[in-house]
Amino acid sequence: MRNPFSDFRILPYQKREIPLERIVRAKEDVMDKIVGGYLRLVEDEVKDLVWLVEHSRVVKAYSAAVKGIRDLQYDVDDIEEFCAELDSSSRIPYMISGPAGIYVSALVNHAQEDRIVLRLREYQRTFHFLGYRLPEGKVLILQGDVGDFIGAGLSGGRLVVEGSAGNWCGAGMMKGEILVTEHAGQSTGEWMRGGEIHVDGRIRSVGKTLFGGKIYQRGKVLAPQDLSGEI
Amino acid sequence: MRETVQGIYDYIAENLYLSRPDVEVKGRQLSTALLISLLTGLRQGKQLIIGEPGLGKTTSAEYVCALLYRFPLGIIWGSEVSGHPEQTEEKIIGRPDLGRLNLGEEVVVWSHFTLLPVKIVDEINRLPETKQSMILDGVDRGNWGYLNDSIINDEYCLFATANYQDKGTNTIIAPLIDRFDVMVESKHPGANLAYLIGMRGPDGSTLRDERLEQEFLQVLNERIPYNVKMERVERLCDEFGEALARKAGVPTLSRSGRAAIRSDMDGIPFDLDANAFLRMILAELSFCHRYGQKRSHEGCQEGCHFTGYLCGAVRNCISNRFPITVRNFSQALAWFLGDEKVDLEHLLAVLPYTLAHRLQWKDEATAQREKESRADPLAIYMAKQAVKEMHRRYMEQGPLVKNALAVACRILEGEALEPIVGDHPIYREILLDLGKEAS
């Protein structure tokens, strides 16, 4: 049969695409970049699949994470999806808890949204270091139990844990507020310099060295001691 | 040659057929009745001219024929077929040469109507349908037969006039009316131009030449072979052309000039928008989601998804003569205006006149429109509205339709692509051509 459309051969064409496909493709593109950034971080920062929590390594990992996501356009849905990828996807061959949490924190801190909710209850894995260096003006709500070093180095933001936090919650925080609706683990508020930690449940132990800030358990001040004495 | 044709248009518009310009194409104000008549003459078309009695239906055709084909008015008048119920094949086409018949020879004397390239039928709807059919059959191919003889016109055009329906008229049945390329109305020129016409009277004297008319008659009535006769006629036409240039100062076209113009017109391409728009129109006027294509005796299904398109408002399926007409007339218009391609504006200008007589509207569609304020007869008005509506849809969907056609082209050439789908009959038609949907 003669091609009845041959007049239009000269016309450049666009493939059929429904808007949803375009959106999905854009999302996948963003997710590929986020995952790629994380894998580079792990390769650069984690040697022999061992990562020790040292102040200098945490700072370096965070700087590397920020550098990796600097030019990315993403939103809170992408962060949540990345958490899901960390939890169960085969795209991420190894999930090293520390760098993963630092990377998620970098994503949260540089997201366009000021209020971010992460639904962590559905995940099998425990996330550490979430809320690291959360800046002023940001509110991060973590729904579900979380791991260690939550809100470490908090820098003025408000971190809400709707569940329990692990050890070293608020370690080295500068300012801002952490609210834990259930319990907190050992060394809560270790090396904190400012801000407040409110735990509605039980605090297993308060950090031995506090440079400032306040820690409340069920509304009562636990630290500093002199203030608790007054109350 | 374009200047010559434009000169003929201007001469008729200013001296012979005074009418209000009623269309603007490419910034030029034109009278559609005159413009379309001129294009019909150039394009060897068939035109139906409707209008009230005495408003210049026949005379406008006579003037156009006289100037485009270089025939004196007297010869054109003598070749016209007038529509009345007693009209016979012998008066229209030809008759036996009675003298020769008495000698036992069967020789046909062809009518001037058959011989001349310009054919005017006055009040065609007063002819019985059989005679209408006879004329239109002949004009379809330029082939005229009588007894065992026949002649073939190499060049011809037909102008038929029709009054609005009254007791004395027959209908022009749909298969016959479809053979007309275009339908226009010869309108009242308005009180002021009518006053001028009244004061000045018809000024067709420049188109008369009694000496030449006698010579034309002599040649036409000679018993010589058709080809020889037409060569002599052509020489007389050239002579009349020279006389016209002298008397009226209006240059005219020779036969070879007209052929060259037609050849130029044939070479004018459609741009992709005009191409896609015409496909959209054809889809709307031929598509039926339920029954595969429009058929006059099959109605639409209630609640059909495509109710809003023209396929839901008309009864019949558009014929294949329609795209041929559109191509011919839009190319002719583009040539007349000096444009290199047929574009949407050319199409929009000619479409209403190529569609008006071909669309059989459903009663409800007619009822919706007939009381609306308008400046055209209902058929032309409804065609104009339909074209406007389709053009609006094209402006909304044009890029998508062109993309769908481009993708379809690649698919047919073997590329693994998915056809573009959308909400217009054209997308369904594309799918059918790609064999993607059962017809």
Side-chain angles (χ1 to χ4, degrees), chain A residues 19 29 60 99 117 135 147 162-163 169 200 206 221:
Chain A
D29 191 38
K60 196 175 161 212
V117 180
E162 294 178 358
C169 174
D200 289 347
V206 172
V221 178

Side-chain angles (χ1 to χ4, degrees), chain A residues 6-7 10 14 19 26-27 70 99 119 136 141 150 155 165 167 172 181 197-198 206 228:
Chain A
S6 54
D7 294 345
I10 54 168
Q14 291 178 330
K27 281 277 176 197
R70 199 168 40 205
R119 286 177 283 269
E136 203 162 341
I141 298 165
I150 296 304
S155 302
N167 302 329
T181 62
I197 300 174
H198 296 261
V206 172
S228 65

Side-chain angles (χ1 to χ4, degrees), chain B residues 257-278:
Chain B
R258 291 191 297 272
I261 288 173
R262 279 195 290 275
S263 169
D264 285 352
M265 288 174 176
D266 285 338
I268 297 178
F270 271 50
D271 72 14
L272 289 185
D273 278 309
N275 185 326
F277 182 41
L278 184 54

